[in-house]
Amino acid sequence: TTHPGTPTKAKAMTMSTPSAAASRPQYTTDQLQNALHDFYGGTESSTDTCGHIYGYNDPKHEMSMLQKITATTMLDYDGKSSPSVEELLEKAKQFHESNGPILALQQVIQDKSPSMALAAEFKRASPSKGDIAPHLNAGDQAGIYYGAGASVISVLTEQRWFKGSLDDLTSARLNTTDAATKDGKTRPAILRKDFITSTYQIAEAAAAGADTVLLIVATTPSNVLKELIDFARSVGMEPLVEVHALIELDVAVSAGAKVIGVNNRNLHTFQLDLAQTEKVAEELKKRDLSFYHDNCVIGNGDKPQISLCALSGMSSAHDVDRYRKVGVGMCLIGESLMRASDPSLAIRGLCLDPKDYEASQSISGGAYTGGTKIVKVCGITNSDDALVACRAGANLIGVIFAQKSKRKVSIDQAKEIVNAVRKFGERSDRVNVSGAIPSGSPVSTLVGNSRALESGSLRPLVVGVFQNHPLEIVKDTVEKCGLDMVQLHGSEGMEAANCKNFGVPAIRVVDIELGSDGDQKSSSDIASTILKKVTSDPIAILLDTSIKGDKHGGGGTGKTFDWTIAESIQNMGLPVIIAGGLTPDNIGDAVGNMRPWGVDVAGGVEASPGVKDHEKVRKFVGGAKKAAAEASKGF
């Protein structure tokens, strides 16, 4: 049974709650294509309603993953009629009478102005990343998100690829309602994030306790979108309408969408472009549509017509501030929070309040106390090891070209690793990490550079490690392999690390020599000597152990140096990466006690030279992130 509001020309399936994921059937390509054909309106479909849909009217078109998931979801619901829409709406009425009314999404967002509203997402898995955190409990995680300041809790309810359920949504709703009631505060709005093509799914969401639903323009005929928006509003919900391409924005605006979310990820190709939200913001400005989040605080009673949201690819305060500057009112963040050892700390680090961000960015010339932000896994020789490091949360993947290294890779090996890392990061080109414009002292410039690298390495980057290579060869290798960065590990000199030499930023290694005799200098004296030699050319400084008498540069010793040297350098204001002798067993001490800006491991996570022990990699990266989160609680 369908509700009277169910679209007719573009046929939505007759739907009910699908069976458990494990017992669901597999569908043929023809079944999936026929489901989409019917949904688009069958023989009555037209470019007027479907012209924005990827591959529409192309007989050679192959379904994207988004289209396959959408069609599969429709077929999973097909033929189910119990409970009916009417029964679900009655259940929704009873639920909200008992547990509080539906919240208006746009008001929730605008009430946070000038702070950025946060939609924190519960997502156990995804088609592109596989398992993310399948063990987590939705209610518990939602409670953490609420306690840390999330305005919206997004819950993936799709079962096959995302391992979610409506039970997750209800659990999130009830737990956050209880917590907010005890606190005497407003609870967060609950968003059902799924592949919604029918009024039935909206009624189902309301019955489970949702305040809003996601409607994806990329797969929805324009007439169906309008009817779904109208039906959602008829049950008290303001939907979040998702767009990616500008042609989809046309459809959303014409359908009367008030809350528009820009998915920076193209769900047909899974490519990520963080500039997509800015493109949509610019287009809204051209159309003279009001949306600026800051304008919500104007005291004339007027509110912006549209609330603009950024929906994917973000994980840092830099991302939040980037979108704040173009008028975005809400950011949706999921994977990084699901992977975080301390989600509350991660949310606090987003600096949703602009005043918090301004305070975090002030350069006072004081000690660096920001804790560990960068984890590098070096000596990668194959794509499998690279992906394990990426999934564990590494920021930098190091491939070594140094002739003497047991982990030296060929051009072809490096290309394979670069391609794997790019695919993981949902990108097709290198990431442009632009350092700070030199100003003041080299240290102040390097502090700005470190922030740029933090932001740029939220998706893992591939770093090529070179030792005394001619600069022309380094540049040629960068181009051939598609490296994102380089690391100079020999006696090339500080100025050689200028990005103009290679077209990409460079990390400059400073050797800390073991085995010195004669007068022993203090850590602070050694730190002062190093600081006098640094220039503003590198993107970052890495300290590594070297053996006395090695004229070619250190690295690969497996030995630690005196970490108090790094601590002294950071106390003088310069964030540094440390390497040498780090292992899963000592990373907690290194990060927790010394709090370096970055850590770098190679041999400490190997099964044999050039072959990573995957469990050690996970333990090292996870241990570094956990220790960083714990250490930050004291600051």
Side-chain angles (χ1 to χ4, degrees), residues 4 11 40 55 90 212 234 278 317 335 362 364 377 431 436 463 470 489 504 522-523 537 551 554 557 583 606:
K11 300 174 184 176
Y40 297 160
E90 180 58 32
T212 182
S234 76
E278 292 158 329
E335 183 180 342
S362 62
S364 62
V377 178
V431 173
V463 183
H489 220 299
V504 296
S522 67
S523 296
D537 296 286
K551 298 179 181 179
T557 65
T583 69
E606 286 184 332

Side-chain angles (χ1 to χ4, degrees), residues 384-581:
D384 288 343
D385 289 355
L387 288 175
V388 168
C390 289
R391 293 187 184 113
N395 305 91
L396 304 177
I397 305 298
V399 292
I400 298 176
F401 294 94
Q403 295 296 331
K404 73 170 188 174
S405 176
K406 295 174 286 189
R407 308 173 183 97
K408 181 179 181 293
V409 296
S410 66
I411 295 292
D412 287 342
Q413 282 176 293
K415 284 181 179 179
E416 179 188 344
I417 291 165
V418 166
N419 288 336
V421 173
R422 285 185 180 181
K423 185 175 181 180
F424 176 85
E426 297 163 331
R427 58 187 174 100
S428 58
D429 203 350
R430 65 167 52 96
V431 173
N432 180 25
V433 180
S434 299
I437 297 173
S439 61
S441 70
V443 170
S444 65
T445 300
L446 288 169
V447 170
N449 288 353
S450 70
R451 291 173 181 161
L453 184 53
E454 283 176 32
S455 180
S457 64
L458 296 173
R459 288 179 286 167
L461 308 179
V462 181
V463 183
V465 181
F466 298 87
Q467 193 170 52
N468 298 317
H469 289 72
L471 299 188
E472 304 80 42
I473 290 179
V474 176
K475 184 175 182 180
D476 185 58
T477 306
V478 166
E479 292 305 317
K480 286 180 178 177
C481 300
L483 302 173
D484 298 298
M485 298 173 58
V486 299
Q487 177 176 310
L488 302 183
H489 220 299
S491 55
E492 300 91 347
M494 195 68 63
E495 290 79 6
N498 193 295
C499 66
K500 292 179 181 178
N501 291 321
F502 323 108
V504 296
I507 297 170
R508 176 65 248 185
V509 176
V510 174
D511 294 326
I512 308 297
E513 190 176 88
L514 297 182
S516 297
D517 46 28
D519 293 336
Q520 294 295 313
K521 293 183 178 180
S522 67
S523 296
S524 60
D525 287 342
I526 295 172
S528 296
T529 300
I530 291 172
L531 284 181
K532 289 176 183 176
K533 294 180 179 179
V534 300
T535 68
S536 57
D537 296 286
I539 192 76
I541 298 295
L542 185 150
L543 307 181
D544 199 358
T545 308
S546 70
I547 304 299
K548 183 182 179 184
D550 186 346
K551 298 179 181 179
H552 301 289
T557 65
K559 299 180 182 296
T560 60
F561 63 86
D562 181 359
W563 290 340
T564 62
I565 296 171
E567 188 173 20
S568 294
I569 291 174
Q570 294 200 149
N571 285 341
M572 296 175 187
L574 178 62
V576 294
I577 303 170
I578 64 169

Side-chain angles (χ1 to χ4, degrees), residues 229-300:
I229 290 174
D230 290 346
F231 180 78
R233 288 174 179 161
S234 76
V235 298
M237 292 182 176
E238 184 58 51
L240 172 59
V241 179
E242 176 187 306
V243 304
H244 175 75
L246 295 183
I247 191 174
E248 295 166 14
L249 178 64
D250 294 335
V251 176
V253 171
S254 296
K258 294 180 180 178
V259 183
I260 296 177
V262 183
N263 198 330
N264 293 311
R265 180 179 288 107
N266 183 327
L267 291 180
H268 297 298
T269 65
F270 289 112
Q271 293 295 310
L272 191 65
D273 179 7
L274 292 179
Q276 197 62 30
T277 295
E278 292 158 329
K279 294 173 186 175
V280 170
E282 185 63 28
E283 187 64 24
L284 289 174
K285 284 172 63 178
K286 289 179 182 177
R287 300 180 186 203
D288 202 27
L289 293 169
S290 60
F291 65 93
Y292 261 75
H293 189 56
D294 285 352
N295 293 349
C296 296
V297 294
I298 292 176
N300 58 9

Side-chain angles (χ1 to χ4, degrees), residues 332-395:
L332 186 147
I333 299 178
E335 183 180 342
S336 64
L337 295 181
M338 291 293 287
R339 294 186 190 275
S341 56
D342 187 336
S344 295
L345 184 66
I347 291 174
R348 200 160 67 241
L350 294 172
C351 297
L352 301 171
D353 188 320
K355 293 179 181 178
D356 292 339
Y357 184 77
E358 289 169 11
S360 75
Q361 297 304 293
S362 62
I363 300 177
S364 62
Y368 172 75
T369 59
T372 302
K373 308 291 187 182
I374 300 292
V375 179
K376 177 169 173 270
V377 178
C378 201
I380 296 287
T381 62
N382 60 79
S383 59
D384 288 343
D385 289 355
L387 288 175
V388 168
C390 289
R391 293 187 184 113
N395 305 91

Side-chain angles (χ1 to χ4, degrees), residues 13-167:
M13 314 300 290
T14 301
M15 297 186 174
S16 180
T17 305
S19 56
S23 61
R24 289 180 177 182
Q26 298 299 310
Y27 304 116
T28 66
T29 298
D30 283 346
Q31 286 175 304
L32 296 175
Q33 289 176 332
N34 288 337
L36 289 175
H37 176 73
D38 289 345
F39 180 53
Y40 297 160
T43 57
E44 297 180 39
S45 68
S46 71
T47 54
D48 288 342
T49 58
C50 299
H52 65 283
I53 294 175
Y54 180 59
Y56 176 72
N57 253 355
D58 179 1
K60 296 181 180 180
H61 172 66
E62 293 185 8
M63 287 180 293
S64 67
M65 177 58 74
L66 172 61
Q67 290 168 330
K68 289 177 183 176
I69 295 174
T70 302
T72 300
T73 302
M74 289 192 287
L75 291 173
D76 281 343
Y77 275 92
D78 190 22
K80 306 290 181 19
S81 59
S82 178
S84 67
V85 168
E86 290 74 16
E87 289 169 331
L88 286 170
L89 293 178
E90 180 58 32
K91 182 180 176 183
K93 180 181 177 183
Q94 294 172 4
F95 182 97
H96 293 290
E97 284 176 351
S98 299
N99 298 289
I102 290 175
L103 300 179
L105 178 61
Q106 188 171 30
Q107 183 177 339
V108 168
I109 295 170
Q110 292 182 341
D111 283 351
K112 293 299 294 184
S113 178
S115 291
M116 181 76 75
L118 171 67
E121 188 158 272
F122 183 81
K123 177 169 64 175
R124 291 195 176 92
S126 77
S128 60
K129 299 295 178 67
D131 283 353
I132 296 171
H135 60 287
L136 292 181
N137 176 277
D140 292 344
Q141 190 81 350
I144 294 171
Y145 289 163
Y146 155 73
S151 306
V152 176
I153 310 294
S154 170
V155 182
L156 262 297
T157 58
E158 195 280 331
Q159 294 186 15
R160 289 184 185 244
W161 286 273
F162 294 88
K163 299 186 178 180
S165 70
L166 284 166
D167 287 341

